Amino acid sequence: QVQLVDSGGGLVQAGGSLRLSCASSGRSVRNYWMGWFRQAPGKEREFVAAISGNSSAYFSDSVKGRFTISRDNANNTVYLQMNSLKPEDTAVYYCAAKYGSIARVSSDYEYTHWGQGTQVTVSS
């Protein structure tokens, strides 16, 4: 069983940086797609980034060039490095996991395991 724990959120000024972590307990996530999604108040959950088991990375257009995603399979942890943060990045960020293949990395319904979420607030 995969259990995901998100951490690293907080309050930061615009232009600042944060690094989110997603730690998996239980089963190894080596063969899982790992994704990050976010949900702002009053908005639908949206795709942020995803990384395959062999570290191919994908990003939404809104974060491309500012965010990076990486994974440490030995420690069952995935990271989302967020730079040049903007107020519109304010949201609850969730990590997610999907074993094996995936048809559409940006679709939240593809993912079967979810973290509890961590709040990111960017002040202007």
Side-chain angles (χ1 to χ4, degrees):
Q1 184 71 359
V2 170
Q3 292 182 318
L4 304 177
V5 178
D6 311 324
S7 63
L11 174 63
V12 64
Q13 288 189 331
S17 298
L18 281 174
R19 189 177 78 158
L20 305 184
S21 299
C22 174
S24 172
S25 61
R27 188 174 178 175
S28 168
V29 293
R30 182 179 302 273
N31 295 314
Y32 282 69
W33 279 87
M34 301 297 294
W36 285 97
F37 290 78
R38 67 187 181 187
Q39 187 166 22
K43 294 188 177 181
E44 293 187 354
R45 187 162 54 191
E46 66 171 355
F47 170 73
V48 176
I51 187 167
S52 69
N54 64 0
S55 295
S56 295
Y58 301 83
F59 300 92
S60 68
D61 289 342
S62 62
V63 308
K64 200 172 295 182
R66 299 188 298 123
F67 291 11
T68 59
I69 187 171
S70 60
R71 63 190 302 156
D72 179 352
N73 287 332
N75 291 304
N76 273 345
T77 302
V78 175
Y79 302 99
L80 183 70
Q81 178 67 43
M82 306 186 296
N83 298 328
S84 302
L85 282 161
K86 304 175 181 180
E88 50 263 44
D89 294 318
T90 295
V92 178
Y93 283 70
Y94 300 89
C95 75
K98 165 68 164 63
Y99 179 79
S101 63
I102 196 167
R104 191 168 180 173
V105 299
S106 61
S107 295
D108 57 0
Y109 61 77
E110 290 270 6
Y111 296 82
T112 56
H113 298 80
W114 290 85
Q116 82 287 358
T118 185
Q119 176 71 47
V120 172
T121 302
V122 184
S123 63
S124 56

